[in-house]
Amino acid sequence: MDLIKSPASWLKTYVNAAFQGKEPWQIVSITTSSVLLMVWIYDFLDGDESLVNRGKKTAFKLVKHIPQLRAKVDQVLDETRRNFEDDVTKRTSGVPYLVQLPTTAMSREEIFKALSQNLALGEDGWKSGLASGAVYIHNPALQQLVADVFQISSYTNPLHPDLFPGVCKMEAEVVRMVCTLFHGDEQSCGTMTTGGTESIMMACKAYRDYAREARGIRRPEMVLPATAHSGFDKAGLYLNIRLRHVPIDPTTCQVDLQAMRRAINRNTVMLVGSAPNFPYGTIDNIFEIANMGTKYNIPVHVDSCLGGLLTVFMDRAGYPPPVTDFRLQGVTSISADTHKYGFAPKGTSVIMYRAPKYRHHQYTVTTDWVGGVYGSPTVNGSRSGGNIATCWAALLYHGLEGYVSATKDIIYTARFIEKGLRRMKGIYIFGQPATSVIALGSDDFDIYRLADALHKLGWNLNTLQYPPGLHLCVTLMHTKPGLAQKFLDDTKDSLAEILKDPAVPVQGRMALYGTAQKLPDRSIVGDITRFFIDSIYYIPPSDAQPQD
């Protein structure tokens, strides 16, 4: 007790001495200021980010109040905004914008003429098969089937199962078929969503609420690789879940398991692994992550949004992948996008759970609303049954044999490209690509120069950062005869030109990526990104548009 009484007695004496002779208002002011300062320090120390990052942000925020620097930053941002808007004007040149409703109804012919003009913009870029990912198939017969299915199902709504029981039946069938592909048993379950981000968000919501009920966790955290999809960051922001990003092994590009283990604490509500990840196409060691989840009684989510509907067919196609699904006892949920390698139209994904107890916490239920008891399984209330029906139709159209055949062609093409790239000087491959993504980097020149050179030849690749890189996501579009060899030839020719003078800095649009990566003040990068998103909704002034 003396150990406690002695410091307390000293503190009391010190405080009394400090306030001796002070006016009451002074005592109140000092006390209030001290409490507020202590609260600020506590909030600063207890923030989600590291002290270093928060310190940097605070410093940059203060520095930007310097008038000269603020003016320079504003000037650069304004130029960037104008560049984005100019790009939009160029991409849509020749096609007028509609800025108000037509006075009278447009005819079917007029509507389809305007539609055709809009869809023709940039059409060559993806139909040629030169784009990374984005469009995973172009099959006129499937396209016609999807159009016919959507035509008769577009106005249905699974929010009303009594009115549209057949739509709900089709959704249940899609979920069951996909669960079976991932080796789920009869207890496995899930829902359809509008895409990978919503599937990820639903898993995070389910585990946040499950942990609150089962373990009393009020300050939830998730542990995930640095390569995990940004959808988890969005989920963290929306759902107030703290993210603990774990570094990857620089050689394998898989998550550092020891670092992941160290990041686990009493507030951890879920562990995340990617199969494969988006940047490098490598698969994390899901076996060990699942064991970790079992040991610490923490749910494990496997993000297979990108390549999940390849991995489930790869064994049959002759390219056996590591086991990453419900065969691993510790895996409690999986997300997989049917609108990627399931070849369904954009707007569908599946989130799967090992047991209904997790899915129950995904639901949103309101019991006391004056409009009645309300419940919905996902973010949306009303959903178009057309998306469900077209996804269902795409699965039936391909069947097991169709998907195995497509997977065989895609993986063969990806391995062919990877093998050819590894023979080229000046570049290296990140890790060991497991499915369809091949990521490139360079120690000899700015890799964004290669991205720029290939862009000028019509290729549209994804750019990476930390370290700089780019990747090609191989789809069924790239399996056309000669297209993979064209990519290798164009890359080889571009490298030959770049390596004549490897020290030359990148120019043009790709220079922005290099600059953004090097900026220490990430808030400026955020501003640039917001301007880019703004440009999607930008309409050029009337004098810059063609006149009717």
Side-chain angles (χ1 to χ4, degrees):
M1 288 297 293
D2 289 340
L3 292 175
I4 299 175
K5 289 181 177 179
S6 181
S9 178
W10 175 87
L11 180 62
K12 181 177 70 173
T13 302
Y14 174 80
V15 171
N16 288 336
F19 284 106
Q20 189 173 7
K22 294 287 193 301
E23 296 287 337
W25 69 268
Q26 292 176 309
I27 296 174
V28 172
S29 299
I30 294 172
T31 302
T32 303
S33 300
S34 300
V35 170
L36 291 175
L37 178 61
M38 291 173 65
V39 169
W40 182 87
I41 293 173
Y42 175 81
D43 287 341
F44 185 81
L45 295 175
D46 194 51
D48 288 345
E49 295 180 300
S50 67
L51 283 173
V52 174
N53 286 340
R54 274 175 283 143
K56 285 182 180 179
K57 285 187 176 181
T58 302
F60 287 131
K61 186 175 181 180
L62 293 174
V63 167
K64 281 193 292 190
H65 283 294
I66 300 174
Q68 294 88 343
L69 181 60
R70 181 71 259 174
K72 180 63 177 176
V73 169
D74 289 342
Q75 179 185 350
V76 172
L77 290 176
D78 192 54
E79 290 175 359
T80 303
R81 177 185 56 79
R82 287 200 303 269
N83 288 337
F84 287 145
E85 293 174 353
D86 290 343
D87 286 343
V88 172
T89 303
K90 292 175 184 176
R91 289 198 300 267
T92 60
S93 62
V95 180
Y97 279 80
L98 299 174
V99 296
Q100 60 186 12
L101 283 172
T103 304
T104 58
M106 294 175 65
S107 67
R108 175 185 173 87
E109 290 73 20
E110 290 173 321
I111 292 172
F112 269 85
K113 179 183 177 181
L115 175 65
S116 298
Q117 288 179 322
N118 287 326
L119 295 182
L121 297 171
E123 187 176 45
D124 293 341
W126 66 266
K127 278 193 174 180
S128 61
L130 304 185
S132 171
V135 180
Y136 289 77
I137 191 173
H138 180 54
N139 180 334
L142 174 61
Q143 190 172 345
Q144 185 59 57
L145 171 66
V146 164
D148 293 342
V149 170
F150 192 80
Q151 180 182 19
I152 61 176
S153 59
S154 56
Y155 281 87
T156 61
N157 184 355
L159 183 64
H160 305 284
D162 52 336
L163 297 178
F164 306 106
V167 172
C168 296
K169 173 179 177 290
M170 286 187 285
E171 179 175 12
E173 289 174 347
V174 168
V175 172
R176 176 49 51 202
M177 285 189 282
V178 176
C179 279
T180 299
L181 289 173
F182 284 87
H183 294 90
D185 60 18
E186 292 183 356
Q187 287 296 305
S188 64
C189 57
T191 69
M192 289 183 67
T193 67
T194 56
T197 296
E198 188 182 1
S199 288
I200 287 169
M201 187 174 293
M202 290 296 89
C204 294
K205 194 266 184 190
Y207 292 141
R208 182 199 66 175
D209 292 359
Y210 175 77
R212 180 184 298 159
E213 180 179 292
R215 298 166 55 195
I217 294 178
R218 299 295 173 183
R219 304 183 68 183
E221 299 181 3
M222 70 174 91
V223 177
L224 68 167
T227 48
H229 194 272
S230 286
F232 290 99
D233 293 84
K234 181 182 284 189
L237 291 170
Y238 276 48
L239 300 170
N240 197 27
I241 302 174
R242 181 177 182 177
L243 278 68
R244 288 190 176 272
H245 286 106
V246 179
I248 62 170
D249 182 291
T251 302
T252 66
C253 294
Q254 295 175 310
V255 66
D256 183 330
L257 294 171
Q258 295 301 322
M260 176 170 269
R261 187 173 287 107
R262 289 193 297 269
I264 295 173
N265 62 37
R266 63 180 180 176
N267 289 321
T268 304
V269 300
M270 63 187 291
L271 305 179
V272 175
S274 303
N277 63 53
F278 172 84
Y280 309 124
T282 55
I283 291 179
D284 291 317
N285 191 333
I286 304 300
F287 177 82
E288 290 298 337
I289 297 174
N291 286 343
M292 222 179 289
T294 301
K295 178 180 178 180
Y296 296 107
N297 192 29
I298 299 172
V300 172
H301 178 78
V302 178
D303 176 24
S304 287
C305 286
L306 177 57
L309 287 175
L310 289 175
T311 58
V312 293
F313 303 114
M314 283 175 64
D315 203 4
R316 297 180 180 91
Y319 300 96
V323 175
T324 60
D325 54 31
F326 288 125
R327 285 172 288 181
L328 300 177
Q329 190 60 38
V331 172
T332 52
S333 62
I334 304 172
S335 52
D337 286 359
T338 43
H339 67 197
K340 289 189 174 74
Y341 293 103
F343 306 132
K346 287 298 182 184
T348 63
S349 175
V350 177
I351 171 65
M352 297 163 272
Y353 298 98
R354 176 175 292 278
K357 67 178 181 179
Y358 300 117
R359 184 174 64 172
H360 285 170
H361 287 88
Q362 173 185 305
Y363 300 159
T364 298
V365 178
T366 304
T367 60
D368 300 322
W369 179 40
V370 294
V373 176
Y374 177 86
S376 64
T378 58
V379 170
N380 296 299
S382 291
R383 293 178 290 155
S384 171
N387 284 355
I388 293 170
T390 54
C391 176
W392 176 84
L395 293 177
L396 301 183
Y397 175 87
H398 289 91
L400 182 62
E401 291 182 356
Y403 283 118
V404 171
S405 176
T407 298
K408 187 174 183 178
D409 291 342
I410 291 168
I411 301 301
Y412 173 83
T413 302
R415 300 286 168 86
F416 175 81
I417 292 174
E418 178 195 346
K419 187 176 180 181
L421 292 173
R422 288 190 184 276
R423 295 195 187 106
M424 298 181 190
K425 294 182 179 179
I427 58 174
Y428 61 85
I429 305 294
F430 285 96
Q432 184 58 56
T435 54
S436 59
V437 173
I438 307 133
L440 312 174
S442 177
D443 293 324
D444 301 327
F445 64 92
D446 189 333
I447 194 66
Y448 296 139
R449 286 183 63 193
L450 179 59
D452 186 52
L454 290 172
H455 180 76
K456 290 174 181 176
L457 295 174
W459 294 96
N460 189 308
L461 306 184
N462 299 95
T463 54
L464 314 173
Q465 62 176 356
Y466 305 133
L470 55 94
H471 86 214
L472 172 69
C473 178
V474 177
T475 70
L476 204 58
M477 307 281 283
H478 298 108
T479 65
K480 298 176 183 177
L483 198 58
Q485 187 59 54
K486 173 177 169 54
F487 177 75
L488 292 175
D489 292 342
D490 287 349
T491 302
K492 185 177 180 180
D493 293 343
S494 299
L495 280 173
E497 190 64 30
I498 290 170
L499 292 174
K500 289 178 181 178
D501 192 355
V504 173
V506 64
Q507 303 292 328
R509 65 188 293 272
M510 287 297 168
L512 180 62
Y513 292 102
T515 301
Q517 180 183 240
K518 295 172 184 176
L519 282 173
D521 185 357
R522 306 309 291 172
S523 68
I524 296 178
V525 181
D527 289 336
I528 292 173
T529 306
R530 292 181 185 93
F531 285 141
F532 174 76
I533 298 173
D534 283 345
S535 72
I536 297 173
Y537 302 95
Y538 173 71
I539 294 181
S542 56
D543 57 2
Q545 297 182 35
Q547 303 300 313
D548 293 332

